Amino acid sequence: MPFDLHILSLKDVLDILLVAYLLYKIYKLMKSSGSINVFTGILVFIVIWIIVSQVLQMRLLGSIFDKLVSVGVIALIVLFQDEIRHFLLTLGSRHHSSSLFRFLKGNKQKATNKEDIMPIVMACLSMSKGKVGALIVIEKGFPLDEIVHTGDVIDANINQRLIENIFFKNSPLHDGAMIISNKRIKAAGCILPVSHKLNIPKELGLRHRAALGVSQETDAIAVIVSEETGGISIAYQGEFYLKLTAEELERMLTDKRN
């Protein structure tokens, strides 16, 4: 039956847009987790399956592809269990449930965030000058409770002097990550998942890999101060933002926390 443009309703257009948006989000998730080649392979397989089954109508080959698709759904769940868990946890996180409330608060919320961000910025700037290594993870919508439990719970106000003391070279907590949640320093000395992406620049060390790893698995913002160069960087949604100035760091933290 030929395609008729007259039967394309508003609901059909909405359906197409939703599918396109879903594919885009899956693409971003696969790209941030380093599984983009697998995602591309799945899309190619689906296109071949549609051509064989619907266009060419090859019954034998089409039935084989149908069986592979039915089994492949289970295989994909096993293969991408971490990504699926990440998606579901993000979907049900408090970030989405309170988005309307934060929107109604408007500029007042941004001003409050500014008060929490400046101690982080000033501490990073001070540690950068002294080439003191640091890794600060700021929680957004995705809960970081599991990571908090790997370190020592502090639960203190965000304070520049406290941040610098924790990452001081002789401090027992300076090697791990600091977790900031709900405008509080929740824990320090925490262990983060390390990214295994192959295209990470060789000059970036373990702190950067850990920061990228947590940014791939959660929506958190990871701030890194390099012990070798003193450079300040951010890892967010599987991407690095390197060699930031104090102004750029403040602006990025303000924009990405809202």
Side-chain angles (χ1 to χ4, degrees), residues 107-125:
N107 294 331
K108 185 178 179 181
Q109 179 72 22
K110 290 186 178 181
T112 305
N113 283 342
K114 198 96 170 180
E115 297 175 1
D116 303 325
I117 288 171
M118 287 312 298
I120 301 173
V121 173
M122 297 306 297
C124 288
L125 187 61

Side-chain angles (χ1 to χ4, degrees), residues 83-94:
E83 285 80 3
I84 294 172
R85 178 176 175 271
H86 176 201
F87 173 76
L88 293 176
L89 281 173
T90 303
L91 192 65
S93 66
R94 62 178 178 270

Side-chain angles (χ1 to χ4, degrees), residues 198-242:
L198 300 178
N199 59 346
I200 298 176
K202 293 182 179 180
E203 63 269 17
L204 301 182
L206 185 59
R207 277 194 182 91
H208 288 81
R209 284 190 172 272
L212 189 64
V214 75
S215 76
Q216 289 174 333
E217 297 190 9
T218 72
D219 63 349
I221 307 166
V223 183
I224 317 105
V225 179
S226 173
E227 192 170 355
E228 288 76 23
T229 65
I232 302 174
S233 307
I234 279 181
Y236 181 64
Q237 293 186 343
E239 300 290 339
F240 277 126
Y241 302 86
L242 303 173

Side-chain angles (χ1 to χ4, degrees), residues 28-246:
K28 285 192 65 177
L29 181 63
M30 293 297 103
K31 183 178 179 182
S32 64
S33 63
S35 306
I36 187 62
N37 291 334
V38 178
F39 176 72
T40 304
I42 293 172
L43 288 182
V44 171
F45 178 83
I46 292 174
V47 170
I48 295 175
W49 171 50
I50 293 174
I51 292 174
V52 169
S53 302
Q54 304 297 325
V55 180
L56 301 179
Q57 295 185 349
M58 296 180 177
R59 294 184 180 179
L60 180 59
L61 193 57
S63 62
I64 294 175
F65 273 95
D66 291 340
K67 295 294 183 182
L68 289 175
V69 169
S70 61
V71 177
V73 173
I74 300 175
L76 288 176
I77 293 175
V78 175
L79 184 62
F80 296 112
Q81 56 181 325
D82 291 335
E83 285 80 3
I84 294 172
R85 178 176 175 271
H86 176 201
F87 173 76
L88 293 176
L89 281 173
T90 303
L91 192 65
S93 66
R94 62 178 178 270
H95 172 73
H96 291 85
S97 61
S98 62
S99 58
L100 178 61
F101 177 71
R102 291 202 315 272
F103 173 76
L104 293 175
K105 289 179 75 174
N107 294 331
K108 185 178 179 181
Q109 179 72 22
K110 290 186 178 181
T112 305
N113 283 342
K114 198 96 170 180
E115 297 175 1
D116 303 325
I117 288 171
M118 287 312 298
I120 301 173
V121 173
M122 297 306 297
C124 288
L125 187 61
S126 175
M127 291 185 291
S128 173
K129 292 178 179 178
K131 290 188 177 180
V132 176
L135 178 51
I136 303 171
V137 180
I138 303 172
E139 180 185 277
K140 290 185 65 181
F142 192 97
L144 301 178
D145 296 340
E146 292 183 6
I147 296 177
V148 167
H149 293 323
T150 65
D152 294 308
V153 177
I154 297 176
D155 195 22
N157 291 326
I158 300 175
N159 180 277
Q160 175 186 346
R161 191 171 297 178
L162 176 59
I163 294 174
E164 293 182 34
N165 285 335
I166 288 174
F167 288 111
F168 183 68
K169 293 181 180 180
N170 294 329
S171 168
L173 300 177
H174 83 280
D175 276 335
M178 174 186 291
I179 308 298
I180 293 179
S181 173
N182 293 328
K183 306 174 186 177
R184 305 276 293 178
I185 299 176
K186 283 292 182 181
C190 298
I191 301 172
L192 302 182
V194 179
S195 174
H196 298 287
K197 288 182 71 172
L198 300 178
N199 59 346
I200 298 176
K202 293 182 179 180
E203 63 269 17
L204 301 182
L206 185 59
R207 277 194 182 91
H208 288 81
R209 284 190 172 272
L212 189 64
V214 75
S215 76
Q216 289 174 333
E217 297 190 9
T218 72
D219 63 349
I221 307 166
V223 183
I224 317 105
V225 179
S226 173
E227 192 170 355
E228 288 76 23
T229 65
I232 302 174
S233 307
I234 279 181
Y236 181 64
Q237 293 186 343
E239 300 290 339
F240 277 126
Y241 302 86
L242 303 173
K243 299 178 180 178
L244 301 176
T245 64

